[in-house]
Each structure stands twice: as C-alpha cells, then as structure tokens.
Amino acid sequence: MTILRIVQQDSSSSSSAGFSTTSNAVVPCETDAIENMFEQNLKIKFYISSRSTSPSSPSGDEADLVKVIDSAHLPVHTPTIKRKEYHSRIPFPTKNKTHQFFLMSFTAPTKCHQCTSLMVGLIRQGCVCDACGFSCHTTCVEKAPRACPVPFQQKKGALCLDLQKGMGTAYEGHVWIPKKTGVEKGWQRALAIACDFKLFLYDMDEEKDSKPNVVVSQSIDMRDRAFSVSPVWSSDFIPGKKKEMLRMFKVTASQLSAPSNRYSIPILADSENERSEWVRVLSELHKILRKRHSGDRSVYILKEACDSSLPLIKTTQTATIIDHKRIALGNEEGLFVVHVTIDEIIRVGDMKHIHQIELIPHGQMVAVISGRRHHVQLFPMSALDGRKTDVHKLVETKGCQTMTSGTVCQGAHTCLCVARKSHVFCYELFQSKKISHRKFKELQTPTNVQWMAIFGEQLCIGFQSGFLRYPLKREGIPYRMLHSHDPTLSFIARQPVDALCAIEISSIEYLLCFKSIGIYTDSRGLRSRPAELMWPATPTYCRYNAPYLSVYSENAVDIFDVNSTEWIQTVPLKKMEMNLYFPNQMIVRSKQVFPCLDSKRRYSFRVPRGKGCRRRRCDPQPVTGDREDHSRTT
C-alpha cells in the first residue's frame, strides 16, 4: 500500500492530513549504482550560498556553501520511475557531510526528492548530489536537508502534495491512451502522473521494460474551467470492447477544436480498481482546487475565426492577422484575405507559393516571400482590399528563407531585413506613387539565420547556439548575446541547438529561447538569472506578447510568464497537422481552426479582374455533428 500524504504547511510549522490511496504505481525496484552515472573531468565549477529552510536544519545556523558543478559534458542520468532509495545501495561514511550538487539532464520523467514535483524540461531539469543521489529542482537546492546522506525519515515519500503551494505528486501509474490515429486503431502504453494539479501523460514504447520519454505527450491543467473526470459508460459512444469499458475513464478539458470547445481523452486503466482510484484521486484534487478558489489562470481565450471545413484552410502554409475582421492566408495557390465577419474571400494579385507574410504598417506595405525561387515581393496594403496594384520585386533576395521589418531613427525610416542562408540584406523602403527601396547594409552571420527581429536601432539575429545584435544605421561590431566567458552558458555551444527567438524584456535583460531551453542574459551577454525556462515538449515556434511567451509544440501551446518564469496555461491542440502563428496570439491551425456557428456557411470568393471584380461562391464541405455557440475569443 502506498500512502499519499497531502501536506498543509504554513511559515512556522508543518502538519499532515489528507487521504491515502492503494496503488501499484510506485514500487521500489533496482537502479544503477549512483557512482556509475557520472562522467569524469568536471572542469567548470561555480558556487551558490545557501541557508537551508528544511525542517531538519537547526535554526539560526549558518548554512554551508552548496557546490553546483556545471560539467563540460553533462552527465546523463537514466532514472527509473519506481526507484529504490539510494541509501540502501551506497555505503556512506558515518559522519554527516554537505551535499555536492551538480546539474543533470534526465532522460525520463523524474521527481524532486524535496517537493516530489516533476522536474519538467528537456535538459538540465535539476540537480543531483554526487554522494548520496538526492535529486531536486535547482530552486529546491537551498531547501534540501543539510545532512548528506539524507536520513530516511527526512525524505518525502514518492507521493506528497503541499496544499498551500499546490506542489507535489499526488498519484502516478501506467495507463493506456488512444493511438494518434484514434481509439479505433487501438491503445498505446503511457505513464500518467497527477502532479502540481496537472495530469501529465508520457508516451512509452510497447516493449515491456521500456522507459517513458522525457517529453510530455499531453498536459491537462485541473484549473481549467472545463476540467472533469468520470468513468466511461456505453452512452459516451467511445469505441471499445465491453470488457474495456469497465476499465475506462475520461478526462475532459477545454481545447481549440470543432465542433466543441471541449474534448475528452479516454484512458484505459489496467484494472477496474485502478480506474476507480484514478477517478477518485483526480476528483478529490479538483475539489481541493475549488475549495481553495484556485480558478482558471488562463490568459488567452481562443475561438475559431472561420469555418474549419473551408478548403483554403487545409492547404494554408502561413498566415497573419490584418485587423479584427480580416486574416491573410498564404498557400501554394496564392495570397488570400478572409473577412471573418462577412464570409468573403479576396484573392490578392497573381502570386503563388506564399511562404511568409510580413505586414509593414508604418510604410503601409505588405512583403511576402513567394514563388518557387523564394523572392521577396512588396505591394501596397490597399491590395488587401482587392484593388489592382503593382508588385515590387527584390531581385537579389532569391533563395531567402525569412524576413523581418521595423523602424529605425526613432521611427523616421522603415526597414526590411531579408536573410538568405548566412547573409542578411538590409533595405530602407520608400512609398510615394510607387514602392522603391535602397539597400544600406549587408551582414554576414556565423551560420544560417534561423530567426530575426528589430530591437530599437539593432537587428537581432538567431542562429544555431547563438544570438547576435547588429547596429543597423551606424557602423560597429555585433554584440554577443551569449558571452563566451560565462561558464554557466558554455553548455549551449558544446551541445548545438537551434534558436527559436529572443525577447527584449527590458533595456538590460533578454530571454534567449532555444529548442531545448530558455535562458536569461543581460546586455553584456552574461547570465542575469539562475532560473531557466523548461519546455515540457519539444517546441517548434515561439511568440511573445508581453509578458507572456507562447511556446508551440506538436500537441499544445504552453504559455509562460517571462517575468516570474511560471508556466501559466496549456492550450491542447488535438490531432494538429500544422500551426499558423499569429503575432497577437490568435491561433489558427490546419483542418480545424475556430468553431463556426453554421455548418452551411457559404463564402463569397472575390478575384480582382482589372477595374472590376468577379464573384463566385466557395462552399465548404459539409460538416457532420451539431454546432455549439461559443463565446471564447482571443
């Protein structure tokens, strides 16, 4: 029997009260000896001072220095979920000593020995004591018991929830979830962990001794206003055998999808008792949240903007919001403007193969990367209304992969920067009767450009394992946003990783987002905070709308507060084929966008023909099922 301790703590004392559960989810098993996990030649060391806040520490004593080692080659720990206590495997000296922590990259879901919460992230998720194997978050290092090894009675159990902070693991076990192709195609093994009032699901291979991947497959927040859990009955019309129905339960949450703004995940437990235990624990946790008045913390509310069955949506490759009534969509056939309020679609020009759309409001222009040869073309913003206009091509941009625009000289000049492999062309744009341009600078980057943005008078460029800031209107060398002399940042260069974006938090601080981690630096390129942003799943794209960072992955959009580094919200995107990322956080995706109210909507398709226009109807494919009225919007 495993006892789940729900701990209610205050600033002066701690007491335990709650309920217990019977589970086979956490059973001790053999692990590799801790001394065999670590590599030698740990070259780079730095120290952090720590005053222990553990109940085991004598009050008023000065805490010893806690050593944190950032190794030249990060050792990889492959833990098992059902772990055996380390003290039973490793001989320790009789005299207590101080922990020696170093950063660790875990390859499977691992819980903190101090708070029992999951150490979420793709790399560098936490610290491990070299001597006793005590593992914890970097933020929990100062709270860890001072004695090494940690006495057994001072270690928190595998399941322990702090009600006041909402931190800790309440329940875990192996379950079955539908395959990506649907329940009809069968089930796949998964690890489910109820932690920090979220339900985490991790995919597992079918092999018997396989370990779950460190990447979170799905994350469901119990603070979601639509969250609920219940057994599955025959009336739910979920495909499955009769015997499976007795072991199935469903978890419901809100999502951006049609025809409803809610979705349910059927989950198959190993037994009827396991199903009852999951339903009971998740229901109890949800009741605790409601009693604490811990409501939904969502910062974005999403709604479909146009009919998900519109054929144009299915082939869209890029998009942007023009205003609250219009969306620009680009695909292989061309550039289109969808009026979401009057159900009208306008074809813009005769361009094809639209790869990127960049609105330039200061210059009243639109730039697109189009054609099989990836040229940049410019045209007036009036063309978005269906007017016939001339198109201005930038010939030397052939083969470009991305672009960005902005203003310099306190808004006096409009700039467009275009990246072609490791070259960046900087243009000043002019609009009178015709669009014209002047190239005023050409930059060479260390490797291919992956991301660009204009920060004030500087162009910020992201490439593999680095970011640079180039002065635009004056001469000068670029500024490194990752200083080579900062040993705590050297791991990025040693483990090359793609750049996603850089965020200017203030004039003296930046957040650099890579595909594996997010780090904070100052204007000199030195680390400004010890905290790092941990992605629950591998990101594909980032968007920033101060102070919130939206991180897109295969199955969800995770929202972070960049000031507090807190993971605020998760927006599930079920069966997503591709994401279209809008600057102001409106989300559109292929095949299913935002639910419309009428499955029989008919779009008026307007194509410019000289001075006149030809109209025709564009009928979406019929959509089965009832439509519901939803008021959620961005």
Side-chain angles (χ1 to χ4, degrees), residues 358-367 378 381 405 414-416 429:
E358 179 78 12
L359 298 180
I360 312 175
H362 186 268
Q364 286 296 298
M365 287 176 270
V366 180
L378 299 166
M381 200 167 284
S405 64
T414 302
C415 289
L416 178 69
L429 303 181

Side-chain angles (χ1 to χ4, degrees), residues 231-233 241-249 268-269 271-276:
V232 168
W233 311 108
K241 301 175 182 177
K242 289 185 178 180
K243 292 183 179 180
E244 291 179 344
M245 287 288 181
L246 300 176
R247 297 186 286 130
M248 288 172 60
F249 64 98
L268 182 66
S271 66
E272 292 183 45
N273 289 336
E274 279 291 312
R275 181 190 78 163
S276 299

Side-chain angles (χ1 to χ4, degrees), residues 250-463:
K250 65 178 180 178
V251 177
T252 301
S254 61
Q255 127 168 313
L256 179 63
S257 67
S260 172
N261 67 340
R262 297 186 182 188
Y263 80 115
S264 295
I265 301 177
I267 299 176
L268 182 66
D270 287 335
S271 66
E272 292 183 45
N273 289 336
E274 279 291 312
R275 181 190 78 163
S276 299
E277 206 61 42
W278 273 111
V279 172
R280 187 178 73 85
V281 171
L282 294 178
S283 299
E284 288 290 339
L285 290 173
H286 196 225
K287 288 179 182 178
I288 292 171
L289 277 174
R290 286 185 294 179
K291 288 180 181 179
R292 292 176 53 207
H293 304 289
S294 299
D296 188 6
R297 299 181 301 168
S298 301
V299 294
Y300 295 122
I301 302 176
L302 311 171
K303 186 179 179 181
E304 281 192 342
C306 52
D307 199 306
S308 61
S309 60
L310 181 65
L312 175 64
I313 299 295
K314 300 178 182 180
T315 57
T316 299
Q317 296 178 330
T318 182
T320 190
I321 294 177
I322 303 170
D323 51 42
H324 68 287
K325 296 181 179 180
R326 296 180 298 167
I327 298 174
L329 305 177
N331 62 11
E332 292 292 312
E333 298 301 318
L335 178 63
F336 303 89
V337 174
V338 179
H339 285 255
V340 297
T341 56
I342 61 175
D343 298 344
E344 183 179 66
I345 300 174
I346 298 175
R347 171 71 180 266
V348 179
D350 56 0
M351 298 170 291
K352 291 191 176 183
H353 303 284
I354 308 298
H355 308 284
Q356 184 181 345
I357 306 169
E358 179 78 12
L359 298 180
I360 312 175
H362 186 268
Q364 286 296 298
M365 287 176 270
V366 180
V368 297
I369 297 178
S370 64
R372 296 186 182 276
R373 298 184 178 182
H374 289 237
H375 277 100
V376 172
Q377 300 194 68
L378 299 166
F379 53 88
M381 200 167 284
S382 59
L384 300 177
D385 296 326
R387 303 178 191 177
K388 185 73 173 179
T389 59
D390 295 329
V391 176
H392 184 73
K393 179 186 288 189
L394 303 183
V395 179
E396 62 183 332
T397 59
K398 175 184 175 183
C400 65
Q401 67 262 28
T402 188
M403 61 181 171
T404 189
S405 64
T407 59
V408 294
C409 300
Q410 297 181 348
H413 302 288
T414 302
C415 289
L416 178 69
C417 299
V418 182
R420 188 181 66 191
K421 294 184 179 179
S422 60
H423 287 79
V424 178
F425 305 106
C426 302
Y427 301 97
E428 185 176 351
L429 303 181
F430 307 94
Q431 168 100 332
S432 54
K433 293 182 179 180
K434 290 186 178 181
I435 295 175
S436 59
H437 71 280
R438 177 182 67 88
K439 186 174 76 171
F440 64 88
K441 183 170 285 191
E442 183 174 339
L443 305 173
Q444 176 73 43
T445 60
T447 185
N448 288 355
V449 175
Q450 295 177 329
W451 176 88
M452 291 193 306
I454 294 178
F455 292 163
E457 304 294 311
Q458 296 178 329
L459 174 65
C460 181
I461 295 177
F463 47 89

Side-chain angles (χ1 to χ4, degrees), residues 446-614:
T447 185
N448 288 355
V449 175
Q450 295 177 329
W451 176 88
M452 291 193 306
I454 294 178
F455 292 163
E457 304 294 311
Q458 296 178 329
L459 174 65
C460 181
I461 295 177
F463 47 89
Q464 192 175 63
S465 296
F467 286 88
L468 291 172
R469 287 182 289 124
Y470 292 83
L472 278 174
K473 276 297 187 176
R474 60 178 178 82
E475 296 301 323
I477 61 174
Y479 299 93
R480 289 184 177 271
M481 301 183 73
L482 284 171
H483 203 292
S484 59
H485 291 163
D486 189 336
T488 69
L489 300 177
S490 57
F491 72 95
I492 295 177
R494 288 193 298 267
Q495 299 179 346
V497 59
D498 290 343
L500 291 177
C501 75
I503 296 166
E504 190 177 26
I505 298 176
S506 68
S507 60
I508 59 173
E509 188 175 34
Y510 299 89
L511 171 61
L512 308 183
C513 299
F514 294 92
K515 206 160 188 176
S516 58
I517 202 167
I519 58 175
Y520 292 85
T521 63
D522 60 21
S523 56
R524 300 169 296 171
L526 302 174
R527 183 187 288 273
S528 61
R529 306 187 193 186
E532 298 171 340
L533 281 188
M534 297 291 173
W535 319 136
T538 304
T540 56
Y541 202 87
C542 293
R543 278 294 186 186
Y544 180 59
N545 188 18
Y548 302 112
L549 175 69
S550 299
V551 182
Y552 296 76
S553 58
E554 182 181 1
N555 296 316
V557 183
D558 297 295
I559 316 296
F560 296 85
D561 186 324
V562 300
N563 293 324
S564 65
T565 71
E566 189 177 3
W567 180 8
I568 298 293
Q569 180 185 3
T570 295
V571 181
L573 295 176
K574 192 178 180 182
K575 295 181 179 179
M576 180 180 61
E577 294 198 352
M578 66 173 291
N579 272 333
L580 306 174
Y581 314 100
F582 292 113
N584 59 351
Q585 303 301 326
M586 192 173 185
I587 303 172
V588 173
R589 61 194 171 99
S590 175
K591 290 200 174 179
Q592 290 187 349
V593 196
F594 306 108
C596 63
L597 305 181
D598 182 7
S599 61
K600 297 181 180 180
R601 290 175 74 170
R602 296 171 63 86
Y603 290 86
S604 174
F605 198 177
R606 185 152 57 99
V607 183
R609 287 290 184 270
K611 294 182 179 180
C613 295
R614 182 181 68 178

